Amino acid sequence: MTARLRMTRAERSEQTRAELVEAARTVFLRRGFHGASLDEISAEAGYTTGAVYSRFGGKDELFLAVVDDHLERRTRLYADAAEDAGDFESAHREIMRAAIAVGREEPRWTPLLMEFWTHAARDDELRAAVAERNQRNLDASAQLQEAVADRHGTTLLRSPQEMQRAVTAMARGLSLERQIVPDAGLEALFEDCVIALLRAFTEPRSTE
Amino acid sequence: MTARLRMTRAERSEQTRAELVEAARTVFLRRGFHGASLDEISAEAGYTTGAVYSRFGGKDELFLAVVDDHLERRTRLYADAAEDAGDFESAHREIMRAAIAVGREEPRWTPLLMEFWTHAARDDELRAAVAERNQRNLDASAQLQEAVADRHGTTLLRSPQEMQRAVTAMARGLSLERQIVPDAGLEALFEDCVIALLRAFTEPRSTE
DNA sequence: TGTACATCAGTGAACGCGCGTTCACTGATGTAC
DNA sequence: TGTACATCAGTGAACGCGCGTTCACTGATGTAC
């Protein structure tokens, strides 16, 4: 594998941390939050259980690290997807296409995240940690949407946060359903609904 | 409590079953599916753990009974809500009002159901059982929506199943978010989005 | 109506298991001189 | 460059706990005669 002997302590522990997060992501997706054991995760990364406690506060904190990593990647992905589109609506079609593609690759991400949310809702401190990440994610999406609207001369009739919440809610609801009823029609339905919502909540900017 | 001595065996076991389902509903809502123990549930109903195994196949089957009970009630509730409305859109507003009201009373129902779905997704037999109930529920909602559309001379541009799926997905997504970020604005947002979707996917029937 | 036996709803204790967390320890890295 | 000590990342075994499920048993209900 990677050479371990030449690394400083800081490099070494940072690498361990990253490997554990990556393994945790894999195993959490495979087994769900409750179903995944720290044994399996640490073994997947080539360590023992104690390593998790050396780098993280416990199972919850490890999961939060997975979430942070995930949100960063997704934020970049969507920003890139919107980059080259010619108008407001097709920018959103590109974002949706990207969202649908990653949804196919990792259909269990949304159920996993929602499973964790439900777990976190019962613990004040953990819920706050989740809420903060949710807000960060919402702000990033809203900022992207505003930028896209600006770039293509579109006026939002609702705050971008609200629009993002609605779209995300629908995406999550459909992802959850898909795990019970795999159905390709859900993706097309999702696209049509989002376009309908966008049209209802935006208008071309008057050139004044 | 209720007199136990005069009951036949069938009545007795039916009552036990109903009491267990009711207690299970309470405790599942309180603790979540994974967090609830059969000990707490049976104690809540005034029995011991074994009683659950006398009436049900196990924890999963008990939960399915809770779901069946729940879906029956909700189906009736929504049908009643739509009863007296004057037109298509206000019928849907009434249904939404009813949905929002029960959502306030039992904000944990949706997260609970989704937690179970995610659990069930990992077991083929259980997933089939959940899928069947989901389909039953979808058919009932779709039938109601078609009846409402018919009654008020409205043409659906999409199958009522698809429209229900979209609306339900959004409702679920927002319910899940609410457990992390309690926010009354979500309810108003939900209403507006559903109305926007209805308008996009229906048109007044031409009187020909 | 009464008696003897069969059935079975619900009991309650025990089983078996897996998991998150802890902690004394090891050996490689870092530091002081 | 070398030596002696300090630090600390990761080990690995044990702990403690709770839970779903099983099962021999009890006593009330049901049945046959």
Side-chain angles (χ1 to χ4, degrees):
Chain A
M1 294 284 166
T2 41
R4 293 188 170 177
L5 296 180
R6 294 294 193 82
M7 306 177 93
T8 66
R9 267 189 195 158
E11 288 169 335
R12 183 76 195 82
S13 70
E14 184 42 49
Q15 177 179 321
T16 301
R17 200 194 126 91
E19 288 171 352
L20 283 172
V21 169
E22 180 60 28
R25 178 188 177 83
T26 304
V27 177
F28 279 134
L29 282 169
R30 182 155 67 219
R31 308 266 184 221
F33 179 74
H34 288 104
S37 72
L38 296 183
D39 255 22
E40 186 173 355
I41 290 170
S42 48
E44 176 93 16
Y47 298 91
T48 58
T49 342
V52 172
Y53 286 86
S54 177
R55 299 295 100 209
F56 302 92
K59 196 182 188 184
D60 289 338
E61 208 183 280
L62 175 58
F63 191 89
L64 287 175
V66 172
V67 171
D68 284 334
D69 177 61
H70 180 92
L71 293 183
E72 270 176 44
R73 294 201 236 173
R74 289 282 164 103
T75 298
R76 258 181 281 123
L77 176 70
Y78 296 150
D80 290 351
E83 195 82 16
D84 300 324
D87 59 51
F88 181 77
E89 200 168 295
S90 68
H92 278 89
R93 283 196 192 277
E94 288 306 323
I95 293 174
M96 274 191 285
R97 207 144 299 170
I100 287 170
V102 291
R104 275 189 197 153
E105 277 167 40
E106 287 180 339
R108 282 181 161 155
W109 171 258
T110 298
L112 173 61
L113 187 63
M114 295 300 104
E115 184 187 0
F116 186 70
W117 276 24
T118 300
H119 162 68
R122 292 190 161 74
D123 175 306
D124 279 344
E125 204 174 330
L126 195 55
R127 187 183 57 213
V130 169
E132 188 222 312
R133 281 157 180 84
N134 184 50
Q135 187 62 46
R136 228 164 53 211
N137 183 45
L138 186 59
D139 288 343
S141 314
Q143 198 187 328
L144 173 61
Q145 185 166 57
E146 257 187 323
V148 171
D150 241 42
R151 197 182 306 155
H152 300 295
T154 302
T155 300
L156 304 180
L157 303 176
R158 289 246 170 193
S159 78
Q161 273 87 358
E162 281 179 310
M163 293 176 64
Q164 279 306 317
R165 280 181 131 173
V167 171
T168 306
M170 176 155 300
R172 286 183 180 147
L174 291 172
S175 287
L176 286 161
E177 184 166 351
R178 185 168 53 173
Q179 62 179 338
I180 294 299
V181 191
D183 177 354
L186 290 180
E187 293 175 353
L189 180 61
F190 173 63
E191 273 200 62
D192 292 352
C193 288
V194 172
I195 295 295
L197 290 174
L198 285 180
R199 288 183 183 164
F201 295 147
T202 60
E203 59 185 16
R205 186 168 301 155
S206 55
T207 37
E208 192 160 345
Chain B
M1 297 282 166
T2 42
R4 294 190 167 174
L5 297 179
R6 295 293 194 80
M7 307 175 91
T8 67
R9 269 191 192 155
E11 288 169 334
R12 183 77 196 84
S13 69
E14 184 41 51
Q15 178 179 318
T16 300
R17 201 194 126 90
E19 287 171 352
L20 284 172
V21 168
E22 179 59 29
R25 177 188 177 84
T26 303
V27 176
F28 279 134
L29 282 169
R30 182 154 68 221
R31 309 265 185 223
F33 179 74
H34 289 103
S37 72
L38 295 184
D39 254 20
E40 186 173 354
I41 290 171
S42 48
E44 176 93 14
Y47 297 92
T48 58
T49 343
V52 171
Y53 287 85
S54 178
R55 299 295 99 211
F56 302 91
K59 195 182 189 184
D60 289 338
E61 207 183 281
L62 174 59
F63 191 89
L64 288 175
V66 172
V67 172
D68 285 334
D69 177 61
H70 181 91
L71 293 183
E72 271 177 43
R73 292 201 240 173
R74 288 283 164 102
T75 299
R76 258 182 280 123
L77 176 71
Y78 296 149
D80 290 351
E83 193 83 15
D84 300 324
D87 59 51
F88 182 76
E89 200 168 296
S90 67
H92 278 89
R93 283 197 192 275
E94 290 305 322
I95 293 173
M96 273 192 283
R97 207 143 299 170
I100 287 171
V102 293
R104 277 188 196 153
E105 276 167 40
E106 286 181 340
R108 282 182 161 154
W109 171 257
T110 298
L112 172 61
L113 186 64
M114 294 301 103
E115 185 188 359
F116 186 71
W117 276 24
T118 300
H119 162 68
R122 292 190 160 74
D123 176 306
D124 280 343
E125 203 175 330
L126 195 55
R127 187 182 59 212
V130 169
E132 188 223 312
R133 281 157 180 85
N134 185 50
Q135 188 61 46
R136 228 163 55 210
N137 183 45
L138 186 60
D139 288 343
S141 314
Q143 197 188 328
L144 173 61
Q145 185 165 61
E146 257 187 324
V148 170
D150 241 42
R151 198 182 303 156
H152 301 294
T154 302
T155 300
L156 304 179
L157 302 176
R158 289 243 170 195
S159 77
Q161 272 87 356
E162 280 179 310
M163 293 175 66
Q164 280 305 319
R165 278 180 133 174
V167 171
T168 305
M170 177 155 300
R172 285 182 181 147
L174 291 171
S175 288
L176 286 161
E177 184 166 350
R178 185 169 52 175
Q179 62 178 340
I180 295 299
V181 190
D183 178 353
L186 291 180
E187 294 174 354
L189 180 62
F190 173 63
E191 273 200 62
D192 292 353
C193 289
V194 172
I195 295 295
L197 290 175
L198 285 180
R199 288 182 183 162
F201 294 147
T202 60
E203 61 186 16
R205 187 166 302 152
S206 56
T207 37
E208 192 163 340

